[in-house]
Amino acid sequence: MTILWTILIGLIAGAVAKLIFPGKDPGGIIITILLGIGGSVIFTYLGKFLGLYQEGETAGFIGAVIGAIILLAVYRMFKKK
């Protein structure tokens, strides 16, 4: 159930990241939402590694948005080249 909650938060975080970090993306909102899911999952495991979250906890909404924005910025850097 934890991974499903992480994915759900990532879906919403991807949409919010697109609103916070607007711009023209080759993949549109679908890619941004997938990056949001990825950001949420990565931030969850990074938070566990750094001791921010206990076992069974997921990244919060703000952490997922931050992860999505970071992944979106990295994605744009690689897509422009």
Side-chain angles (χ1 to χ4, degrees):
M1 185 67 180
T2 304
I3 193 71
L4 292 176
W5 184 249
T6 302
I7 290 171
L8 179 66
I9 290 174
L11 282 169
I12 299 166
V16 171
K18 181 70 172 173
L19 294 173
I20 292 173
F21 199 59
K24 191 165 183 155
D25 293 320
I29 192 73
I30 301 298
I31 294 296
T32 306
I33 289 174
L34 291 175
L35 289 173
I37 293 170
S40 180
V41 170
I42 288 171
F43 207 85
T44 295
Y45 290 109
L46 181 65
K48 286 179 185 177
F49 178 73
L50 295 175
L52 300 173
Y53 306 118
Q54 300 299 320
E55 191 63 36
E57 291 182 330
T58 62
F61 182 71
I62 294 173
V65 171
I66 291 170
I69 289 172
I70 291 170
L71 281 180
L72 186 58
V74 170
Y75 174 73
R76 285 184 183 174
M77 284 185 344
F78 283 110
K79 279 309 253 187
K80 285 187 179 183
K81 291 184 179 186

